[in-house]
Amino acid sequence: MEKILLVKYGEIMLKGLNRPYFESQLVKNIKRSLQKTGDFNLIKAHGRVYVEIINSSYSYEEVAEKIAQVFGVIAVAVAYKVKSDLKEIENLAVEVAKMAYQDGFRTFKVSTNRADKNFRPTSNEISIAVGGKIFHSFEDFLVDVRKPEVTIKIDIRLESYVYYQEYKGNGGMPVGSAGKGLLLLSGGIDSPVAGFMALKRGLKIETCYFHSHPYTTEQAKEKVIELARKLSMYNGGMRLHIVNFTDTQLEIYQKCPHAQLTIIMRRVMMKIAEQIAYIVNGQALITGESLGQVASQTIESLHVTNRAVDMLVLRPLIGMDKIDVIKIAESIDTYETSILPYEDCCTIFVAKHPETKPRLENILKSEESIDIDAMVKKCMSDYETVDI
Ligand code: ATP
Ligand code: MG
């Protein structure tokens, strides 16, 4: 029996001119995700990607799980291949059913899908015939079309595939198919999740972190590096730009009203991030802001922050509850790192009573006492870039 991995992606959404572009990006990303896993043969055909393992120390199941992480993938099946001949499909289906039986399943149904609607018999007729054959090959493997423990799937294309093991994919769009963004990555819970969501929509990302040594510790920086690493598996590597923000923050602290510290600091961060994004050909900034979580994330604060830059700012978490953000953080394994107790901003830089409804003209007035252009220039002259 010839074993193969069958990769399904969002066929239906993709009719149209962009499809070949999307598909080749997907194939590229799958290849990259398998780079250190062995030798593989990838075949793109008829709305599917097929992966043959040439040489690998990983099992088909393990490789399938890896591929399922790649954005754009809906599901990966561990399948067996056969000629599109009814007799052969039936025989193979009984063999595959045997494996499912050995895995302990005791009720099943057969589900058939024909890419070529001219193929005869019809999907339903095939399912019924094959189901009958399987039923008669075992003593206690029963048909249950409503709630089967296992579904034996038959996929009829130029060649045919039979399988019962399927790994659910992450969905979304292939990373790189939507351009590039720069994620402002702090050590918190939100920004890694925002990055994950931008990646899921097909944005390739780079990351930047504002470090205020010694007010923020070396451990806080390590934590951000670790978070960037966790996102790197979706992105195919990761670049982290670390901005030395201490002097800038101190100057804002010394010269601006303390109730406005956070908002002015945030505006300067955005301006620096925008400059970095221009350099790396980024088309958007991405933040973990969500509406109304804290003083700096009221609609007024977000507006004033937004006005610091021309570039598009994406806030993937804008309408999300913290609980849902945490769920995603747990599922992508960033949560445990994010809650490590290294503060990303020393308490001296946070006012006791921050302004919650800042007005742009007041903020601009306060900013007259500092030289923001010089701050940006200074930070742009000595930031560090790490490839993870
Ligand atoms: P997070 O959980 O991502 O830290 P938060 O809920 O703590 O977010 P804020 O501290 O107000 O919210 O930060 C809002 C966003 O600003 C962050 O999600 C992140 O995108 C960006 N940001 C804040 N601090 C930094 C930093 N030191 N370096 C890079 N980006 C930052
Ligand atoms: Mg934070």
Side-chain angles (χ1 to χ4, degrees), residues 27-243:
V27 169
K28 230 195 280 176
N29 294 355
I30 294 173
K31 270 191 190 147
R32 203 176 43 206
S33 78
L34 297 177
Q35 236 167 27
K36 291 179 188 141
T37 312
D39 297 327
F40 302 89
N41 192 17
L42 268 72
I43 307 138
K44 185 175 75 59
H46 323 292
R48 295 264 194 267
V49 175
Y50 300 96
V51 181
E52 292 171 347
I53 301 186
I54 299 169
N55 174 29
S56 173
S57 57
Y58 290 81
S59 68
Y60 277 85
E61 290 71 19
E62 286 166 332
V63 175
E65 281 186 54
K66 268 184 193 292
I67 297 173
Q69 300 291 314
V70 175
F71 286 125
V73 172
I74 302 277
V76 185
V78 179
Y80 297 87
K81 184 163 124 179
V82 73
K83 248 181 21 198
S84 287
D85 166 270
L86 195 55
K87 201 84 224 129
E88 296 208 17
I89 292 172
E90 271 181 11
N91 291 338
L92 176 60
V94 173
E95 289 304 310
V96 171
K98 207 178 275 172
M99 295 181 229
Y101 185 87
Q102 278 161 3
D103 279 351
F105 297 113
R106 287 299 176 267
T107 61
F108 76 95
K109 79 168 179 185
V110 177
S111 159
T112 307
N113 171 14
R114 288 166 307 160
D116 174 8
K117 299 301 174 202
N118 293 319
F119 186 92
R120 285 290 174 274
T122 65
S123 301
N124 223 355
E125 290 163 348
I126 296 169
S127 296
I128 290 168
V130 173
K133 188 139 191 208
I134 294 172
F135 175 72
H136 290 295
S137 307
F138 300 83
E139 281 198 347
D140 54 348
F141 205 8
L142 304 177
V143 176
D144 181 348
V145 288
R146 289 247 171 73
K147 261 192 143 194
E149 289 169 13
V150 66
T151 302
I152 312 285
K153 294 192 179 173
I154 301 174
D155 198 11
I156 300 176
R157 312 241 148 184
L158 267 183
E159 293 174 287
S160 294
Y161 305 85
V162 182
Y163 55 92
Y164 70 99
Q165 282 174 298
E166 215 171 345
Y167 296 85
K168 197 173 171 302
N170 263 325
M173 307 286 282
V175 169
S177 65
K180 193 188 215 181
L182 180 69
L183 170 69
L184 284 81
L185 183 62
S186 68
I189 298 167
D190 298 329
S191 42
V193 174
F196 174 81
M197 290 179 71
L199 285 160
K200 183 167 179 176
R201 295 317 302 164
L203 269 184
K204 180 117 186 146
I205 65 172
E206 295 197 12
T207 50
C208 75
Y209 166 59
F210 294 84
H211 190 44
S212 297
H213 187 75
Y215 300 99
T216 51
T217 60
E218 207 52 28
Q219 284 145 311
K221 180 165 136 186
E222 287 304 319
K223 181 172 144 178
V224 173
I225 291 175
E226 182 56 26
L227 291 170
R229 182 172 297 123
K230 299 228 154 138
L231 290 175
S232 71
M233 63 172 282
Y234 304 100
N235 195 48
M238 185 63 80
R239 197 159 257 203
L240 173 64
H241 307 279
I242 301 170
V243 179

Side-chain angles (χ1 to χ4, degrees), residues 205-316:
I205 65 172
E206 295 197 12
T207 50
C208 75
Y209 166 59
F210 294 84
H211 190 44
S212 297
H213 187 75
Y215 300 99
T216 51
T217 60
E218 207 52 28
Q219 284 145 311
K221 180 165 136 186
E222 287 304 319
K223 181 172 144 178
V224 173
I225 291 175
E226 182 56 26
L227 291 170
R229 182 172 297 123
K230 299 228 154 138
L231 290 175
S232 71
M233 63 172 282
Y234 304 100
N235 195 48
M238 185 63 80
R239 197 159 257 203
L240 173 64
H241 307 279
I242 301 170
V243 179
N244 181 356
F245 205 49
T246 316
D247 295 345
T248 301
Q249 232 175 351
L250 280 174
E251 194 179 336
I252 297 172
Y253 179 71
Q254 282 153 8
K255 296 184 180 161
C256 298
H258 287 184
Q260 297 174 350
L261 277 184
T262 305
I263 191 90
I264 293 174
M265 185 189 79
R266 187 60 45 76
R267 278 167 55 82
V268 177
M269 273 187 187
M270 296 296 273
K271 282 181 197 282
I272 294 164
E274 184 183 42
Q275 292 307 312
I276 296 177
Y278 282 137
I279 289 174
V280 304
N281 290 321
Q283 297 150 286
L285 300 176
I286 305 150
T287 77
E289 290 160 315
S290 139
L291 194 55
Q293 270 194 6
V294 285
S296 60
Q297 295 175 19
T298 61
I299 198 90
E300 292 83 359
S301 295
L302 288 178
H303 166 70
V304 174
T305 305
N306 222 41
R307 290 293 295 270
V309 291
D310 291 324
M311 189 173 278
L312 172 66
V313 181
L314 298 176
R315 299 179 171 89

